[in-house]
Amino acid sequence: FSRTAQPKPFNTRRRAIVSPAQPRALPAMDDAALEKALLLAVSQGDVHSDAFAETSGVDHKKVIGLMKSLEASALVRSTAEDRSALALTPEAETYVVEGSPEAQAFAAVPAEGCSLADFKQKVSKAVSEVGFKQAMQSKWLGMVKGAEPRVERKVDAVAEDTCQVQLALVKSGRASEIPAKDLDVLVKKRKLVKQDTWKVYVVSKGASFALERKKQPADLTREM
Protein backbone atom coordinates (compact mmCIF):
# COMPACT_ATOMS: atom_id res chain seq x y z
CA PHE A 1 0.00 0.00 0.00
CA SER A 2 1.13 3.57 -0.49
CA ARG A 3 2.03 5.55 2.54
CA THR A 4 0.53 9.04 2.73
CA ALA A 5 3.21 11.65 3.36
CA GLN A 6 2.67 13.51 6.59
CA PRO A 7 2.67 17.30 6.27
CA LYS A 8 5.65 19.02 7.82
CA PRO A 9 4.84 21.26 10.81
CA PHE A 10 4.88 24.95 10.05
CA ASN A 11 7.72 27.02 11.44
CA THR A 12 5.78 29.75 13.23
CA ARG A 13 8.79 31.79 14.32
CA ARG A 14 8.72 35.31 12.90
CA ARG A 15 11.35 35.96 10.29
CA ALA A 16 12.63 39.18 8.86
CA ILE A 17 12.33 39.43 5.09
CA VAL A 18 15.94 39.24 3.96
CA SER A 19 17.39 38.95 0.48
CA PRO A 20 18.98 35.53 -0.15
CA ALA A 21 22.20 37.29 -1.18
CA GLN A 22 22.70 38.87 2.23
CA PRO A 23 25.32 37.52 4.63
CA ARG A 24 24.27 35.94 7.88
CA ALA A 25 23.57 38.25 10.82
CA LEU A 26 26.53 39.22 12.99
CA PRO A 27 26.59 39.92 16.74
CA ALA A 28 25.31 43.41 17.63
CA MET A 29 27.91 46.18 17.13
CA ASP A 30 28.71 49.18 19.31
CA ASP A 31 28.02 52.66 17.91
CA ALA A 32 31.51 53.30 16.56
CA ALA A 33 31.75 49.91 14.87
CA LEU A 34 28.25 50.30 13.43
CA GLU A 35 29.11 53.69 11.92
CA LYS A 36 32.32 52.32 10.41
CA ALA A 37 30.48 49.31 8.99
CA LEU A 38 27.74 51.46 7.44
CA LEU A 39 30.22 53.82 5.77
CA LEU A 40 32.21 50.88 4.47
CA ALA A 41 29.06 49.28 3.08
CA VAL A 42 28.00 52.54 1.41
CA SER A 43 31.44 52.85 -0.19
CA GLN A 44 30.67 49.62 -2.04
CA GLY A 45 27.20 50.62 -3.23
CA ASP A 46 23.70 51.56 -2.10
CA VAL A 47 22.61 50.09 1.23
CA HIS A 48 19.07 49.23 2.33
CA SER A 49 18.63 50.24 5.96
CA ASP A 50 16.50 47.24 6.93
CA ALA A 51 18.90 44.71 5.40
CA PHE A 52 21.88 46.43 7.03
CA ALA A 53 20.15 46.38 10.43
CA GLU A 54 19.41 42.67 10.06
CA THR A 55 22.95 41.68 9.11
CA SER A 56 24.45 43.97 11.78
CA GLY A 57 22.27 42.56 14.55
CA VAL A 58 20.79 45.92 15.58
CA ASP A 59 17.34 47.49 15.66
CA HIS A 60 16.30 49.22 12.45
CA LYS A 61 15.56 52.43 14.37
CA LYS A 62 19.18 52.59 15.51
CA VAL A 63 20.37 52.41 11.90
CA ILE A 64 17.96 55.20 10.94
CA GLY A 65 19.31 57.36 13.77
CA LEU A 66 22.89 56.77 12.63
CA MET A 67 21.92 57.46 9.02
CA LYS A 68 20.36 60.82 9.91
CA SER A 69 23.46 61.77 11.91
CA LEU A 70 25.70 60.98 8.94
CA GLU A 71 23.34 62.85 6.62
CA ALA A 72 23.77 65.97 8.77
CA SER A 73 27.48 65.82 7.94
CA ALA A 74 26.73 65.16 4.25
CA LEU A 75 28.58 61.85 4.49
CA VAL A 76 25.55 59.99 3.17
CA ARG A 77 22.18 60.71 1.63
CA SER A 78 19.03 58.61 1.74
CA THR A 79 15.82 57.94 -0.14
CA ALA A 80 12.74 56.63 1.66
CA GLU A 81 10.80 53.63 0.36
CA ASP A 82 7.42 52.41 1.60
CA ARG A 83 7.11 48.74 2.48
CA SER A 84 4.10 46.69 3.48
CA ALA A 85 3.33 43.11 4.40
CA LEU A 86 0.45 41.07 5.72
CA ALA A 87 0.69 40.18 9.40
CA LEU A 88 -1.44 38.43 12.02
CA THR A 89 -3.46 40.20 14.67
CA PRO A 90 -2.70 39.22 18.30
CA GLU A 91 -5.90 37.12 18.29
CA ALA A 92 -4.79 35.26 15.17
CA GLU A 93 -1.38 34.55 16.71
CA THR A 94 -3.10 32.39 19.34
CA TYR A 95 -5.01 30.45 16.69
CA VAL A 96 -1.76 29.43 14.97
CA VAL A 97 -0.83 27.63 18.20
CA GLU A 98 -4.20 26.55 19.60
CA GLY A 99 -6.20 26.02 16.43
CA SER A 100 -8.91 28.15 14.85
CA PRO A 101 -12.07 29.00 16.84
CA GLU A 102 -14.05 26.51 14.76
CA ALA A 103 -11.55 23.73 15.42
CA GLN A 104 -11.57 24.55 19.14
CA ALA A 105 -15.36 24.48 19.09
CA PHE A 106 -15.37 21.03 17.47
CA ALA A 107 -12.81 19.72 19.99
CA ALA A 108 -14.99 20.91 22.89
CA VAL A 109 -17.92 18.74 21.81
CA PRO A 110 -17.68 15.07 22.86
CA ALA A 111 -18.61 12.29 20.45
CA GLU A 112 -21.99 11.87 22.15
CA GLY A 113 -22.70 15.60 21.99
CA CYS A 114 -23.55 17.94 24.84
CA SER A 115 -26.02 20.62 25.83
CA LEU A 116 -25.52 24.08 24.38
CA ALA A 117 -25.21 25.43 27.92
CA ASP A 118 -22.41 22.98 28.75
CA PHE A 119 -20.65 23.80 25.49
CA LYS A 120 -20.66 27.53 26.23
CA GLN A 121 -19.24 26.91 29.70
CA LYS A 122 -16.28 24.99 28.27
CA VAL A 123 -15.05 27.55 25.78
CA SER A 124 -14.28 31.25 25.40
CA LYS A 125 -16.76 33.73 23.98
CA ALA A 126 -14.90 33.85 20.66
CA VAL A 127 -15.13 30.07 20.34
CA SER A 128 -18.75 29.80 21.49
CA GLU A 129 -19.89 32.51 19.08
CA VAL A 130 -17.59 32.86 16.06
CA GLY A 131 -16.11 29.38 16.34
CA PHE A 132 -19.46 27.64 16.69
CA LYS A 133 -20.89 29.58 13.74
CA GLN A 134 -17.90 28.74 11.54
CA ALA A 135 -18.02 25.07 12.60
CA MET A 136 -21.69 24.89 11.64
CA GLN A 137 -20.97 26.53 8.25
CA SER A 138 -18.24 23.94 7.69
CA LYS A 139 -20.77 21.21 8.63
CA TRP A 140 -18.57 20.03 11.49
CA LEU A 141 -21.17 20.75 14.17
CA GLY A 142 -24.92 21.04 14.32
CA MET A 143 -27.47 22.15 16.91
CA VAL A 144 -30.54 20.17 17.88
CA LYS A 145 -33.29 22.50 19.05
CA GLY A 146 -35.58 21.58 21.90
CA ALA A 147 -36.34 22.32 25.54
CA GLU A 148 -32.60 21.96 26.14
CA PRO A 149 -30.70 22.73 22.89
CA ARG A 150 -27.85 20.35 22.17
CA VAL A 151 -24.66 20.56 20.12
CA GLU A 152 -23.67 17.47 18.13
CA ARG A 153 -20.83 16.51 15.82
CA LYS A 154 -21.63 16.10 12.13
CA VAL A 155 -18.28 14.47 11.32
CA ASP A 156 -16.07 12.09 13.27
CA ALA A 157 -12.99 14.28 12.95
CA VAL A 158 -11.77 17.48 11.30
CA ALA A 159 -9.64 16.56 8.30
CA GLU A 160 -7.82 19.90 8.21
CA ASP A 161 -8.04 23.16 10.12
CA THR A 162 -7.86 25.34 7.00
CA CYS A 163 -8.00 28.59 8.93
CA GLN A 164 -5.04 27.60 11.12
CA VAL A 165 -3.04 26.46 8.08
CA GLN A 166 -3.69 29.73 6.27
CA LEU A 167 -2.80 31.84 9.31
CA ALA A 168 0.48 29.92 9.59
CA LEU A 169 1.17 30.72 5.94
CA VAL A 170 0.69 34.43 6.62
CA LYS A 171 2.96 34.23 9.66
CA SER A 172 5.74 32.59 7.64
CA GLY A 173 5.49 35.18 4.85
CA ARG A 174 3.70 32.87 2.39
CA ALA A 175 0.35 34.65 2.11
CA SER A 176 0.61 34.48 -1.69
CA GLU A 177 -0.13 30.74 -1.42
CA ILE A 178 -3.60 31.43 -0.01
CA PRO A 179 -6.51 31.68 -2.49
CA ALA A 180 -7.47 35.35 -2.94
CA LYS A 181 -11.06 34.73 -1.81
CA ASP A 182 -9.95 33.04 1.43
CA LEU A 183 -7.39 35.76 2.14
CA ASP A 184 -10.04 38.41 1.64
CA VAL A 185 -12.19 36.69 4.28
CA LEU A 186 -9.29 36.61 6.77
CA VAL A 187 -8.56 40.30 6.23
CA LYS A 188 -11.97 41.94 5.79
CA LYS A 189 -14.55 39.62 7.34
CA ARG A 190 -12.77 37.81 10.16
CA LYS A 191 -10.16 40.56 10.70
CA LEU A 192 -7.46 38.06 11.64
CA VAL A 193 -4.92 39.43 9.16
CA LYS A 194 -3.82 43.07 8.88
CA GLN A 195 -1.63 45.12 6.55
CA ASP A 196 1.53 46.40 8.24
CA THR A 197 3.32 49.36 6.63
CA TRP A 198 6.74 50.88 7.36
CA LYS A 199 9.53 52.87 5.75
CA VAL A 200 13.03 51.74 4.83
CA TYR A 201 15.81 53.84 3.40
CA VAL A 202 18.26 53.42 0.56
CA VAL A 203 21.54 54.93 1.81
CA SER A 204 24.15 56.15 -0.67
CA LYS A 205 27.23 58.37 -0.72
CA GLY A 206 26.75 62.01 0.23
CA ALA A 207 28.54 65.09 -1.12
CA SER A 208 31.25 64.81 1.58
CA PHE A 209 31.45 61.04 1.74
CA ALA A 210 34.41 59.53 3.58
CA LEU A 211 35.09 56.22 5.28
CA GLU A 212 35.16 57.93 8.66
CA ARG A 213 33.68 61.03 10.21
CA LYS A 214 36.17 63.87 10.68
CA LYS A 215 36.19 65.49 14.10
CA GLN A 216 35.07 69.10 14.16
CA PRO A 217 37.45 71.78 15.57
CA ALA A 218 35.18 72.22 18.59
CA ASP A 219 35.61 68.53 19.39
CA LEU A 220 39.38 68.85 19.17
CA THR A 221 39.37 71.88 21.47
CA ARG A 222 37.43 70.01 24.16
CA GLU A 223 39.95 67.15 24.04
CA MET A 224 43.01 69.44 24.49
Side-chain angles (χ1 to χ4, degrees):
F1 62 94
S2 60
R3 179 176 296 177
T4 303
Q6 296 297 316
K8 295 182 179 179
F10 285 103
N11 180 1
T12 57
R13 295 173 60 189
R14 182 175 295 276
R15 297 178 180 178
I17 301 175
V18 182
S19 167
Q22 288 183 318
R24 296 177 63 183
L26 301 173
M29 302 179 184
D30 60 29
D31 292 349
L34 186 65
E35 179 174 314
K36 183 177 181 180
L38 179 56
L39 289 171
L40 180 60
V42 170
S43 74
Q44 299 169 356
D46 291 351
V47 173
H48 285 77
S49 59
D50 55 342
F52 180 78
E54 175 70 19
T55 56
S56 300
V58 299
D59 188 86
H60 186 224
K61 291 181 180 178
K62 185 172 184 178
V63 172
I64 293 174
L66 171 60
M67 176 198 74
K68 291 185 180 298
S69 174
L70 292 173
E71 274 189 302
S73 301
L75 289 170
V76 302
R77 59 187 179 86
S78 67
T79 303
E81 291 184 351
D82 292 324
R83 296 284 177 84
S84 65
L86 292 174
L88 301 182
T89 64
E91 177 188 358
E93 290 278 2
T94 66
Y95 299 152
V96 172
V97 178
E98 300 172 5
S100 68
E102 51 266 40
Q104 293 184 51
F106 180 84
V109 178
E112 66 275 13
C114 63
S115 70
L116 180 61
D118 286 345
F119 168 74
K120 289 184 175 181
Q121 287 183 343
K122 291 180 181 180
V123 297
S124 67
K125 185 176 180 180
V127 172
S128 67
E129 294 182 358
V130 177
F132 183 43
K133 180 181 178 181
Q134 291 292 330
M136 290 181 68
Q137 289 180 355
S138 298
K139 302 187 185 302
W140 295 350
L141 295 176
M143 186 170 68
V144 180
K145 296 181 180 180
E148 185 179 26
R150 290 180 55 79
V151 180
E152 295 183 349
R153 290 185 173 187
K154 294 294 185 180
V155 294
D156 294 331
V158 173
E160 181 180 67
D161 186 353
T162 302
C163 178
Q164 183 188 39
V165 170
Q166 292 177 341
L167 292 177
L169 285 172
V170 173
K171 189 177 180 71
S172 61
R174 297 160 58 194
S176 61
E177 298 179 27
I178 303 173
K181 184 178 179 180
D182 291 352
L183 187 58
D184 194 57
V185 169
L186 293 176
V187 174
K188 296 180 180 179
K189 185 176 180 180
R190 301 192 66 172
K191 301 187 185 305
L192 296 175
V193 175
K194 60 182 179 176
Q195 186 85 26
D196 276 351
T197 59
W198 67 95
K199 286 186 180 296
V200 299
Y201 296 85
V202 179
V203 188
S204 55
K205 293 179 181 179
S208 301
F209 178 78
L211 285 175
E212 63 180 21
R213 194 195 308 244
K214 293 181 179 179
K215 294 184 178 180
Q216 298 299 321
D219 295 328
L220 294 173
T221 301
R222 280 197 294 269
E223 293 180 3
M224 292 179 63

